[in-house]
Amino acid sequence: MLQITDDLSIADWELSETFTRAQGPGGQNVNKVSTAVELRFEAARSPHLPDPVKARLRRLAGRRWTTEGAVLIAVQDTRSQARNREIARERLAELIRQALVAPRKRIATRPTLGSQRRRLVAKAVRGTVKSLRGRVAGDPE
């Protein structure tokens, strides 16, 4: 089980891991040991996540969300398979924690009377500066 919060955990049947050979440095092990991990979480079929959380998770996951409704997280940061596995699980848990937080509704507000007046004064000052540019009337050039 993957513990997300105190009251939310993901069952093991919802997670699947595949291991492949990692790219990059690895010394003699790079061609022999499969250290890269791809963690797949079946988010769309998960009974533990409510629908609004699934919708936010889909938006947050971006390209990591598949057409089948799964979240794919690929990690090949370290040379250790166990450490890559831990990193992938941590990243998934953090992604789900972000999706659990509902965004606050924006409350429409009006600009204050003082800010409106300051804006109009600034516009008038800027207009006079621009109007003073150009040729001087008495200059014979």
Side-chain angles (χ1 to χ4, degrees), residues 14-135:
E14 298 177 79
L15 301 173
S16 62
E17 296 169 330
T18 55
F19 299 98
T20 57
R21 292 190 183 136
Q23 299 172 346
Q28 296 173 350
N29 278 343
V30 74
N31 294 323
K32 295 187 288 184
V33 181
S34 297
T35 57
V37 64
E38 185 178 89
L39 181 65
R40 181 181 183 96
F41 169 54
E42 300 294 336
R45 295 189 301 157
S46 175
H48 300 101
L49 298 179
D51 288 334
V53 173
K54 288 179 188 178
R56 287 192 294 270
L57 182 62
R58 181 177 185 168
R59 185 180 48 79
L60 285 170
R63 292 177 58 195
R64 294 177 288 189
W65 186 275
T66 65
T67 56
E68 299 89 31
V71 177
L72 290 177
I73 296 181
V75 178
Q76 57 181 4
D77 294 352
T78 66
R79 295 182 188 183
S80 166
Q81 186 185 76
R83 183 65 186 127
N84 282 340
R85 198 171 168 211
E86 289 174 14
I87 292 171
R89 287 173 168 258
E90 289 169 10
R91 287 183 186 170
L92 176 65
E94 185 58 37
L95 193 67
I96 295 173
R97 280 188 208 105
Q98 288 176 4
L100 286 173
V101 177
R104 290 177 42 194
K105 296 277 185 183
R106 184 188 180 277
I107 300 171
T109 58
R110 293 180 56 195
T112 62
L113 187 61
S115 68
Q116 290 177 0
R117 289 183 178 156
R118 284 190 299 272
R119 182 181 64 87
L120 291 176
V121 168
K123 282 172 67 89
V125 169
R126 189 75 187 142
T128 56
V129 167
K130 287 187 170 192
S131 67
L132 293 174
R133 291 183 186 157
R135 292 192 174 164

